[in-house]
Amino acid sequence: MKKVAVLLAPGFEESEAIVTIDILRRLNIEVDTLACAESRAVVSYHDIPMVADATLTERADDLYDAIVLPGGPQGSVNLAASQEVVRFITAHDNAGKFICPICSAAARVLGGNGLLKGRRYVCSGDLWQTVRDGEYVDAAVVEDGNLISGKGLGLVFDFALTVAARLLDDEKPVRDHADHIDYRW
């Protein structure tokens, strides 16, 4: 079974995280939510408290098939500022695992730490203008090697379904599920 880590820093965009977790779990992909904080309790962008499965520190040496990085104005800033997060992403990227930022996370976390490595990506708003090591593409979801980036909250289903399809290496069950939830993907 494929296994995904969703990194939750204080101020994370709750819908980007929850919809992605929901879609992945519905497709029988194991998901660990990892708090990028001192405790498992993390408060989202809109002040919704959430208890993660573990802290990143507890799982820092685990290797997942993918890492999902939700955005959120403060969430992505907090992820980008954490050297533990940068080390975790770097280890997964070096191992060829999927790195999956959505919204501001591609620009702030990856772009802000030199982790795009010239790859094509998408992010929300005009944050792309500050990124120097990647190639911005204006699309709902952009795939470049092991990098899968999503534009933002309004396109979270496209992002989550794409991540699931790549993890399963099969679009059929993902398309079937998209039909089941009445989403055109």
Side-chain angles (χ1 to χ4, degrees), residues 12 19 26 35 50 53 61 64 86 88 104 107 123 131 150 179:
F12 71 95
V19 169
R26 285 173 183 253
M50 187 166 163
D53 297 314
D61 295 327
Y64 292 84
V86 171
F88 193 69
S104 59
C123 64
V131 176
D179 288 343

Side-chain angles (χ1 to χ4, degrees), residues 9-10 36 56 73-87 89 105 107-110 112-113 115:
C36 301
L56 177 58
Q74 195 58 47
S76 60
V77 167
N78 287 332
L79 286 174
S82 168
Q83 286 308 302
E84 186 174 37
V85 168
V86 171
R87 281 191 298 275
I89 294 168
R108 288 193 176 130
V109 182
L110 302 183
N113 286 290
L115 299 173

Side-chain angles (χ1 to χ4, degrees), residues 111-168:
N113 286 290
L115 299 173
L116 284 169
K117 301 177 186 174
R119 291 176 284 197
R120 294 177 301 113
Y121 73 97
V122 66
C123 64
S124 60
D126 61 0
L127 292 173
W128 61 271
Q129 294 177 350
T130 62
V131 176
R132 301 291 170 243
D133 74 332
E135 180 185 336
Y136 177 78
V137 176
D138 187 8
V141 178
V142 175
E143 299 178 66
D144 189 344
N146 65 324
L147 177 65
I148 303 170
S149 54
K151 189 163 190 170
L153 175 58
L155 299 161
V156 67
F157 279 94
D158 294 295
F159 171 76
L161 293 164
T162 301
V163 170
R166 297 308 164 256
L167 283 165
L168 295 174

